[in-house]
Amino acid sequence: MLGCEPSTEEISFDPDLRLTYSTDTITFDTLFSSVGSITKRFKIYNPNDKAIQLNQLSLGTGNQSSYSLTVNGAKDKSFQNEIIYGNDSLLVLVEVLIDPSDQDLPFLVKDSVEIVYNARSESIKLVSWGQDAVFINNEAITCNTTWTKERPYVVYDSAWVAQGCQLIVEAGTKIYIDNDALFTIAGSIVVQGTSDEKVEISDTRLDAKYDEAPGQWGSLFFFPGSTGNLIDHAIIKNGTTGIIMAINLNNGDGAELQLSNTSIQHMSESGIAAFAGTIDAHNLEIFHCQNQLFGGFAGGIYTFNHCTFSNEPNDFTREGASVGFTNYLEFSDGTILANELSLQLTNSIVWGREDEELAVDLSSAAVATVNVERNIIRSSDQSWAILNNFISQEDNYPGFYAPNFYDYQIDSLSNARDSALISLVTHDILGTTRDAMPDIGAYERKDSIP
């Protein structure tokens, strides 16, 4: 009949009509207090032929709620008389902003979305974990201070350790660095993790899909002349370049760093880029970087023992060696800065999907001392084999346990087993004791791998 209201727009108050929902619970991963969440969503479906009017669509705790709702472009704590036409749906967006609670441990923040219609009352659960944190926003870190594990530290824009100052980071501490932010060190940083309580340096996105997400923050940037730096038992991940060691172009000086029992992973550019740096590293693991896992440029002093460098698997389009060293730096105008290079690479694995994964490019303008011995190298270059290294281009020649899951422990038939030179590195990256016939790489084979 002309002029009649379509049945799908005719509101029914029949209590037998039911709505359905895309979920019964909305959960958020751990969120820093005072920092807004990502937006989650759910849909309310009306599978009936007639429209249903929502008397109330609101948060259970009302205006006191940490959550907020957005319906049809409007953001509020409560909505009335929203209509869902027959065989249609309503999209509801949910966000949460958690107030600080002055607690060290994460705390639970619960609420619900209450839906009232046709004498019915139904609800969607809302669940979040809040975490109070210490926020650093474009500021110098107090000189000679200690960061502890009780609360995480969140860096926005930038943070820096001034020249002459020292920052100590205790075991179990978590440092989260926001998008494109830099953590710069002109003084020194001492990271004191343990095998049971590693220090974590990562991005501010804590939801699970960002566990492996390169490029979420900048770098740990060491200024030329920065000395006394130590990083032990740390995980550094999801940045642009994990560590940059800068050079003073006037005198050729770099920075100094000791690295041990540390994993650098998922970087959108490089794991470490060092210019005339001094690095002493053992039980260092670097994997999944777009450019180089390690690049030592313009000379420097580099000592690596029992390290694992692997760029396989790799989600990036890349070419060139994953690990490389030069004793010079060439500028765009053709001028060259040359520095002495000293390289000691022992008992380590250099692997990836390129045919040649280790490159040493030398200029006659500066002295170079290169000692590369007892390593597994992806290469066909016999000069490495002559120096007592194992070379191959076979798939997974090192015998990694589960490389597709970024697990570079070695399996029972690994070519790295019992093949290393005996050294002063008596434990591996996990704290496992190395036996009388140690294995090449950062990991000592265990009979049981979790």
Side-chain angles (χ1 to χ4, degrees), residues 57 59 63 67-71 74-79 93:
L57 174 64
L59 293 163
N63 290 332
Y67 296 86
S68 63
L69 307 175
T70 300
V71 176
K75 188 173 183 178
D76 210 333
K77 306 285 187 180
S78 178
F79 297 86
L93 307 181

Side-chain angles (χ1 to χ4, degrees), residues 330-391:
E330 185 173 0
F331 299 99
S332 58
D333 63 0
T335 59
I336 291 178
L337 171 65
N339 262 331
E340 182 176 350
L341 171 67
S342 173
L343 170 62
Q344 178 83 33
L345 178 65
T346 311
N347 296 332
S348 297
I349 299 173
V350 180
W351 204 251
R353 64 188 182 195
E354 298 297 310
D355 289 339
E356 300 293 330
E357 287 289 9
L358 175 63
V360 179
D361 183 13
L362 302 178
S363 165
S364 59
V367 175
T369 303
V370 178
N371 187 352
V372 177
E373 183 179 11
R374 212 62 178 180
N375 305 284
I376 292 177
I377 304 171
R378 174 134 189 172
S379 175
S380 61
D381 188 343
Q382 289 298 316
S383 64
W384 296 130
I386 293 171
L387 295 173
N388 197 23
N389 297 286
F390 304 94
I391 63 170

